[in-house]
Amino acid sequence: MKTVLFSDLDDTLVFSQRGLYSHGQKTIGHVVVEERNNSPVGYMAWETYQILHDHAAKVFDFIPTTTRTMRQFQRIQFPQIQYNCAIILNGAKILIDGQEDMNWTRMMQELVLQEEYSPSQVFQQVVNTFSTLAGVRAVHDADGFFTYVVTELGCHQKLETMIAAIAEDYNQMYSRQGRKHYLIPRPISKGCAVAEIIAHCDYGYSFAAGDSILDLSMADEVTEFIVPFHGVNQGNNAGNMKRTCEKGSAASVEIVCTVRDHAVCSDSNMTK
């Protein structure tokens, strides 16, 4: 039975230049995996890229698991890394061979519409409250599933507190990741999508990795959950959480090495 890695992208496997610098790392030794307006904006450690290139879909399955929208996810380019499934929009959509699993999408749409407040109501409230405030750059609707607010660098604590309060009032999960503040309906989680994929695949051992509070739901669905050293400092009830020794993109190398070594060892034991 195969090993699988469900991994968050941003600040787990993929880093901005600013993100690398914050960990004392430079773009040298990294592969550009995302461009915007013909300029590089996303980097992956070369060793991480090489391990995924050599082993993903061969020794273990790699399933990108991100809060990005479809458009944002499609900006990520690592064509030499093989994967058959991906989870986007924090679990609201599952892609199989690049195509949306419409049964899953419709089920998630039905679930969020059963909530007290619909995504459109939350979005409108956030627009009305924050779109003209100093420090707010934009308010976005994420494909009709959730809302996120983009603030200026170093936005003041009061603004973050206000956004978190709106999230609580509207029963949304709140998470800040850099300049982005997410308000996500509680039925939407990466963990739900991970459970759906595992239920239909014969995996012997499952890993998940992620740096933020939005990734923690995956811990309850997998054998082992890995948090980068720089990631969220919060435990889970499953007791299967481990933290890397390295931080930044070096943590991504440690994550994929752990998965590769486990998968290779498992294959070796099965052939004896």
Side-chain angles (χ1 to χ4, degrees):
M1 290 187 291
K2 213 168 191 179
T3 298
V4 62
L5 168 63
F6 298 89
S7 184
D8 174 52
L9 295 179
D10 295 281
D11 295 324
T12 299
L13 296 185
V14 178
F15 294 82
S16 66
Q17 184 180 64
R18 184 179 293 111
L20 290 173
Y21 286 176
S22 72
H23 300 300
Q25 298 163 341
K26 298 181 179 180
T27 57
I28 296 173
H30 292 77
V31 180
V32 175
V33 294
E34 181 180 10
E35 293 187 353
R36 191 182 305 150
N37 299 324
N38 297 317
S39 297
V41 295
Y43 300 84
M44 179 181 285
W46 171 253
E47 191 173 350
T48 300
Y49 187 92
Q50 196 63 48
I51 290 170
L52 289 173
H53 171 272
D54 292 345
H55 299 285
K58 305 177 186 76
V59 176
F60 63 88
D61 282 354
F62 167 55
I63 300 181
T65 306
T66 179
T67 306
R68 287 178 174 235
T69 64
M70 178 73 86
R71 179 180 58 82
Q72 292 166 340
F73 178 65
Q74 288 173 338
R75 287 205 306 258
I76 298 285
Q77 296 294 319
F78 31 58
Q80 302 305 314
I81 297 175
Q82 297 183 49
Y83 59 91
N84 297 321
C85 293
I87 295 169
I88 63 172
L89 283 159
N90 205 60
K93 291 186 179 182
I94 294 174
L95 307 181
I96 301 174
D97 295 326
Q99 301 301 309
E100 186 176 343
D101 180 342
M102 293 307 302
N103 289 331
W104 179 259
T105 299
R106 282 191 288 268
M107 186 181 78
M108 296 308 294
Q109 288 171 332
E110 291 171 3
L111 286 174
V112 297
L113 289 176
Q114 290 172 14
E115 293 290 283
E116 182 178 1
Y117 301 102
S118 69
S120 61
Q121 287 176 302
V122 176
F123 174 71
Q124 195 58 57
Q125 180 61 44
V126 173
V127 167
N128 294 343
T129 306
F130 296 105
S131 60
T132 60
L133 291 185
V136 174
R137 294 190 65 177
V139 177
H140 293 283
D141 166 70
D143 295 355
F145 281 101
F146 57 84
T147 297
Y148 66 96
V149 181
V150 183
T151 57
E152 301 287 353
L153 280 172
C155 80
H156 53 79
Q157 181 65 41
K158 182 179 178 182
L159 184 56
E160 180 176 355
T161 301
M162 290 171 63
I163 299 172
I166 289 286
E168 184 175 357
D169 289 345
Y170 282 79
N171 196 31
Q172 307 287 293
M173 185 166 185
Y174 171 76
S175 176
R176 178 179 180 178
Q177 298 180 43
R179 296 188 299 114
K180 292 180 179 177
H181 305 253
Y182 293 93
L183 299 88
I184 300 181
R186 296 192 180 278
I188 296 176
S189 74
K190 292 182 179 182
C192 279
V194 166
E196 172 71 7
I197 292 173
I198 288 177
H200 291 87
C201 298
D202 190 23
Y203 290 124
Y205 201 95
S206 53
F207 289 91
D211 69 297
S212 84
I213 193 171
L214 295 178
D215 299 308
L216 292 179
S217 63
M218 294 192 288
D220 295 326
E221 309 301 337
V222 297
T223 315
E224 188 171 327
F225 183 73
I226 307 174
V227 183
F229 185 82
H230 59 267
V232 62
N233 188 21
Q234 188 172 330
N236 71 304
N237 295 328
N240 60 345
M241 184 179 295
K242 297 182 180 179
R243 189 172 295 272
T244 65
C245 297
E246 302 291 341
K247 64 181 180 178
S249 65
S252 74
V253 177
E254 187 176 339
I255 289 166
V256 296
C257 281
T258 297
V259 177
R260 177 203 60 191
D261 293 349
H262 180 278
V264 168
C265 182
S266 296
D267 285 351
S268 176
N269 290 336
M270 288 180 66
T271 56
K272 288 181 180 178

